[in-house]
Amino acid sequence: MTTVQARSSEPRVDQRRWLALGVCLTAGFMTLLDTSIVNVALPSMERGVGASQADLSWVASGYALTYGLMLVPAGRLGDLRGRRETFLIGVALFTLASAACGLASAAGWLVVFRLLQGMAGGMIAPQSSGLIQQMFQGAERARAFAMFGSVVAVSTAVGPLAGGLLIQASGGDDGWRWVFYVNLPIGVAVFAAALRLLPRTPPREGPQEGFDLPGVLLLGSGALALMLPLVQEQQWPGRRKWALVPVAVVLLVAFWTWERRQGRLGRAPLVDLRLFTRRSFTLGALVSLLYFAGFTSVFFVYTLFLQNSLGYSALAAGVAATPFAAGSAAAALAGGRLVVRYGRKLVVYGLCGVALGLLGAVMAVQLAPGRGVAWAAALPLLVAGVGSGLTVSPNTTLTLGRVPVRRAGAAGGVLQTGQRVGSAAGIAAVGAVYFAQLAGHGHVAAALQLGLATALLFVLLALALALADLRERSARG
C-alpha cells in the first residue's frame, strides 16, 4: 500500500471506530434504561395482567438481579471468545426477551421473560467497556468513556420520563407493553449495525485459556445470596432473610481463595485478582459502588413520593427527574475532556456537586412540601446532575484506563457488578428509611427528606474515599 493510500484509509478507520462506539452506546442506553423505565409502568401491569405485589417486585428488581449476576462471566466470555460475538448474542436475546415480555399473557410469564431480559442485558454491558478499551487509546479513550458514562447516568435518570411518555401515549391497561416493545426496533437496528461496524477481538498468542466454571458458580451463588435480601427487602418481611448475608460472605471468600489458587497454578481465573493491586481500579470500584448506592436510590423514593403521595401522573413524575438527566448529560461530555487534566480531583468536584444538590433537594422539600416540590427541587437536582456527570464518566475512565485490554471485559464486569450491588443496597437502605418513617409517623415530606438524607450519606462516603486518595497522593508527591 502506498503512503497516499494509507493516509486516505485513516479517516475511514477513525470514522468506523466512532460509529462502532455509537452502536455500543445505543445498546448500553437500551439495557440501562430498562432498569428504571418500568417503575412508572407497574400500576399498568397490575391492572393489565393482575400482577401481585410480589410479581411487580420481581419485574422491577429481578432484572437488576440477573443483569448483575451475568456481568463478570459475560465479560470474561467476551475476553476469551470474542466481544463482538458475545455482544451480538446478547443483543439478539435482549430483543427477543423484550418482545416476549410485551406479549406475556400472565404475570408469571412476564417475570420469567423479565429475568431473561436482565441476563441478556448483563451480557451486553461488559462488551461495551471492553470494546472501548480495544478501540481507543489515551485522550480518545477518555472521551469515549465520557460518552459511555453519560449514557450510564442519563439512561437511569431519564427512565421514568420515557416510561411516562409511552404510557401516556398508549394508555389503557396494556400501556405497559410498549415499555418493552420500544426495544424491538432499537434492538434490530443495533444488531444490524454491530454486524457491520464492531471489530473482532484480536487473536490470542500462545495457548488458549479455559473458562473458569467453578469460579462462575462460586461468584454467581455468592452474589445471588448477597443481592436477594437487598432487592427483596420490602417483600420478605422479618429478619431471617439477612441470614443469607453470612452465606454470601462464605461463598465470596471461597471464590477469592479459588481464584488465588487458579493464579498460583498458572490457570486462567474468572477474575484476575491482580486487578485489585492496581490502586486506581480498587479505589474507583469502591467509589462507584458507594456512589451508585446514593444516586440511583434518589429516583426510587422521589418518584414514589410524587406519584403515591402527591398524585403526580407517571409523565409528570418523569418530567420532574429531567433536570438531573439534563445536567448529567452535559457535564459528562465535558468531564471526558477535563479528566485528563484534573484526574481524581474532578471526581471530588463532581461528588461535592452531587452532595450540594441533594442537600438543596432536602431543603426544597422543607420549603415547599406540597405539589410545588418538583419546581422547588428542579435547580438542586440540576446541580446534582452536573455533579453526577463529573463523577460517573471520569471515575470510569480512571478505574479502567490502566487495565490491560485482554482483561478489559472482566474488569468492566467487576466494576458494573459493584454498581448493581450498590444500587440494590442503596434502594434497600433508602427505601427502608422512607417506608419506616411513613409507617411510624405518616408524614410524607419528612419521609422523603430522610430518604434523600440517607442517599446523601452514601455520596459523602464516596467523597471521603476520593478525598483520602487525594491526600495520600499529595503526601507521596
Side-chain angles (χ1 to χ4, degrees), residues 37 67 163 179-180 273 295 319 366 388 452 476:
I37 193 173
Y67 186 107
V179 168
F180 300 109
L273 299 182
F295 123 82
V319 170
Q366 179 68 33
S388 182
L452 292 176
R476 291 202 311 264

Side-chain angles (χ1 to χ4, degrees), residues 229 232-243:
Q232 292 297 106
E233 201 278 333
Q234 296 298 319
Q235 284 67 40
W236 291 355
R239 298 180 179 177
R240 285 187 295 178
K241 58 178 174 286
W242 300 112

Side-chain angles (χ1 to χ4, degrees), residues 192-449:
L195 278 174
R196 291 178 52 115
L197 296 171
L198 292 190
R200 298 183 183 275
T201 303
R204 291 178 174 272
E205 297 180 359
Q208 292 295 311
E209 298 178 353
F211 191 70
D212 182 11
L213 183 58
V216 171
L217 296 175
L218 285 170
L219 178 62
S221 55
L224 181 64
L226 178 64
M227 293 179 69
L228 265 179
L230 296 175
V231 299
Q232 292 297 106
E233 201 278 333
Q234 296 298 319
Q235 284 67 40
W236 291 355
R239 298 180 179 177
R240 285 187 295 178
K241 58 178 174 286
W242 300 112
L244 285 172
V245 174
V247 174
V249 171
V250 170
L251 289 168
L252 292 175
V253 169
F255 166 74
W256 188 274
T257 303
W258 172 262
E259 295 298 284
R260 289 186 63 185
R261 177 179 179 273
Q262 290 287 91
R264 286 197 306 269
L265 295 176
R267 299 171 183 169
L270 177 66
V271 176
D272 188 346
L273 299 182
R274 288 174 296 181
L275 288 172
F276 295 98
T277 65
R278 297 175 182 271
R279 181 183 178 84
S280 58
F281 181 83
T282 303
L283 176 74
L286 289 173
V287 168
S288 183
L289 186 150
L290 290 168
Y291 177 67
F292 270 75
F295 123 82
T296 54
S297 58
V298 168
F299 299 103
F300 175 70
V301 294
Y302 190 51
T303 55
L304 275 178
F305 172 77
L306 294 178
Q307 288 186 268
N308 294 346
S309 301
L310 299 185
Y312 276 44
S313 68
L315 178 59
V319 170
T322 302
F324 186 100
S328 182
L333 294 176
R337 296 190 299 270
L338 297 174
V339 68
V340 177
R341 182 189 305 175
Y342 295 104
R344 186 66 63 184
K345 285 183 181 179
L346 187 62
V347 177
V348 170
Y349 298 150
L351 289 169
C352 287
V354 176
L356 181 64
L358 290 182
L359 183 60
V362 172
M363 295 175 62
V365 177
Q366 179 68 33
L367 296 173
R371 288 183 60 86
V373 68
W375 288 104
L379 180 58
L381 287 179
L382 177 63
V383 172
V386 171
S388 182
L390 296 178
T391 300
V392 177
S393 58
N395 187 62
T396 301
T397 302
L398 295 169
T399 303
L400 299 178
R402 296 184 179 179
V403 172
V405 173
R406 67 190 184 89
R407 299 289 184 189
V414 171
L415 179 64
Q416 293 182 67
T417 298
Q419 293 172 358
R420 295 308 108 203
V421 171
S423 296
I427 288 173
V430 172
V433 170
Y434 178 79
F435 290 118
Q437 175 68 18
L438 280 182
H441 305 281
H443 198 293
V444 291
L448 178 61
Q449 284 181 302

Side-chain angles (χ1 to χ4, degrees), residues 48-49 100-107 109-110 113 176-177:
V49 291
C101 285
L103 292 169
S105 58
W109 284 113
L110 176 59
F113 295 138
W176 62 271
R177 298 184 187 274

